[in-house]
Amino acid sequence: MENEMTLSFAAISENEALARMTLTFFVAALDPTLEEISEYKTVISEAVTNAIIHGYEEDRSGIVTVHAALDGREVTVTISDQGGGIENVEEAMQPMYTSKPERERSGMGFTIMESFTDSLSVDSGQEGGTTVTFKKKFSPVQETCSSVG
Amino acid sequence: MAENCRISTTFVEYKESGKRPLNYEPKGGIHMNQITLTSGGIVIVRPAGELDHHTADSIKREVSRLIFGGKASAVIWDLGSLQFMDSAGIGLILGRMRDLGAVEGGTVILNPSPTMKKMFELSGLGSHLLEGTQEDAIKRLGGILHGK
Ligand SMILES: Nc1ncnc2c1ncn2[C@@H]1O[C@H](COP(=O)(O)OP(=O)(O)OP(=O)(O)O)[C@@H](O)[C@H]1O
Ligand SMILES: [Mg+2]
């Protein structure tokens, strides 16, 4: 199956749920398992939250853009912002690294994203904002299940 | 329906949560979070719906208030009816562990979903996880709080 979508929204925390929900519906036809879908939602939530609180420092006029493309049972999702960017991506991706310890961040976002995806890349410069791209392949639907229900 | 079959995951997910997709995040949904204080000074937090950066704050304020007011010395996070959690949940729990300060080990994380469990394990909180009832969690805390 091939499909594609783009969603842009204001950098406000209410929209984290909007992004999760929209991207969940986008892959619903693949009938992922509950665990696959909740891992996928978590990754989206991590990246969108990062764009809002780190990229835009909660400046509500920022715009976050999410693009998703389906190729067979694999989805490729890109989450981008035009915010402040990451100075040192390698350091930012270390487990427990956070630039905002006072804000109850645990610094586990990137570690969680890496563990719940098949591949993850982060492209950031101090001027051009940040783009996070991940791929996740959903396991094939079990034949034995199709007759039940 | 066989338990492990995934006939329309999205639908099942909403059905289980008792919410309609279009009413995804109801206003005042925050009130579905239950926070109770036992006579033994244990706060039991049972968040519902989705725990993210947007919804974590009100739980933080209430639980911190109980800890700093000297009313609570342990927290049970009962995640059995939580539909979704991201790293905001980890920050919330680690933050309250910091609030508890000297009370070593006064935290139990009860019945997380498999995805949440992975996140807690990645974050070094694996030893606080427990599958069971709130009574089991209270018993475990009793051992920790009075056992030395
Ligand atoms: N979109 C972004 N724009 C600017 N900086 C970012 C962005 N995403 C991440 N960062 C930087 O990378 C760091 C690590 O991100 P990560 O998601 O791993 O942790 P966190 O957001 O600080 O905490 P947590 O995700 O556990 O709540 C952030 O603290 C921030 O400095
Ligand atoms: Mg983060």
Side-chain angles (χ1 to χ4, degrees), chain A:
Chain A
M1 184 169 147
E2 289 189 15
N3 196 2
E4 198 176 338
M5 63 157 279
T6 304
L7 175 73
S8 289
F9 50 87
I12 60 177
S13 62
E14 285 89 333
N15 286 336
E16 293 166 17
L18 172 80
R20 290 196 297 268
M21 182 172 65
T22 309
L23 282 143
T24 296
F25 281 119
F26 184 69
V27 299
L30 298 180
D31 230 359
T33 64
L34 274 179
E35 199 167 342
E36 284 170 340
I37 206 78
S38 75
E39 291 184 359
Y40 168 76
K41 277 168 78 172
T42 306
V43 177
I44 291 156
S45 200
E46 295 300 338
V48 169
T49 303
N50 279 353
I52 294 173
I53 64 178
H54 301 300
Y56 291 120
E57 303 270 345
E58 311 206 46
D59 172 354
R60 302 166 70 92
S61 64
I63 298 290
V64 181
T65 300
V66 180
H67 176 265
L70 266 185
D71 180 8
R73 299 194 61 81
E74 183 177 68
V75 67
T76 303
V77 182
T78 304
I79 299 103
S80 48
D81 66 68
Q82 298 297 310
I86 306 174
E87 208 172 318
N88 185 338
V89 172
E90 208 181 309
E91 175 188 50
M93 292 181 77
Q94 296 294 315
M96 319 282 260
Y97 173 84
T98 179
S99 54
K100 288 192 165 31
E102 74 289 354
R103 293 293 309 279
E104 299 230 311
R105 310 315 307 180
S106 58
M108 292 305 294
F110 279 130
T111 307
I112 290 167
M113 289 187 251
E114 278 185 313
S115 124
F116 287 170
T117 54
D118 298 321
S119 73
L120 178 82
S121 69
V122 181
D123 187 10
S124 188
Q126 272 169 294
E127 310 238 312
T130 300
T131 298
V132 172
T133 304
F134 75 86
K135 287 181 191 290
K136 191 167 178 70
K137 194 161 189 166
F138 299 108
S139 60
V141 176
Q142 304 278 300
E143 275 305 319
T144 49
C145 284
S146 54
S147 61
V148 189

Side-chain angles (χ1 to χ4, degrees), chain B residues 22-126:
Chain B
L22 294 177
N23 218 356
Y24 191 66
E25 197 182 3
K27 278 231 157 61
I30 214 72
H31 299 302
M32 298 186 306
N33 298 319
Q34 282 175 27
I35 300 179
T36 42
L37 181 65
T38 71
S39 54
I42 298 172
V43 197
I44 302 175
V45 187
R46 190 175 165 86
E50 310 214 311
L51 182 52
D52 63 11
H53 158 233
H54 182 62
T55 56
D57 227 42
S58 68
I59 301 179
K60 174 202 165 167
R61 259 181 277 123
E62 183 64 16
V63 178
S64 285
R65 192 179 62 79
L66 291 168
I67 295 170
F68 289 127
K71 295 196 175 73
S73 57
V75 184
I76 294 169
W77 302 91
D78 180 350
L79 306 185
S81 59
L82 190 59
Q83 294 294 309
F84 173 82
M85 185 196 88
D86 65 15
S87 65
I90 292 164
L92 175 69
I93 293 177
L94 285 172
R96 304 298 67 69
M97 289 171 82
R98 237 175 283 134
D99 292 352
L100 286 168
V103 192
E104 258 295 317
T107 295
V108 175
I109 302 167
L110 196 60
N111 302 329
S113 73
T115 304
M116 295 172 199
K117 194 171 165 214
K118 280 186 202 163
M119 294 162 68
F120 288 123
E121 280 165 353
L122 282 172
S123 313
L125 290 170

Side-chain angles (χ1 to χ4, degrees), chain B residues 40-42 73-74 103-104 138-148:
Chain B
I42 298 172
S73 57
V103 192
E104 258 295 317
I138 291 170
K139 247 183 252 158
R140 153 111 60 121
L141 282 170
I144 292 164
L145 299 178
H146 306 295
K148 3 187 156 158

Side-chain angles (χ1 to χ4, degrees), chain B residues 13-24:
Chain B
E13 198 178 353
Y14 287 122
K15 202 174 70 176
E16 280 173 357
S17 70
K19 285 188 285 181
R20 282 163 295 169
L22 294 177
N23 218 356
Y24 191 66

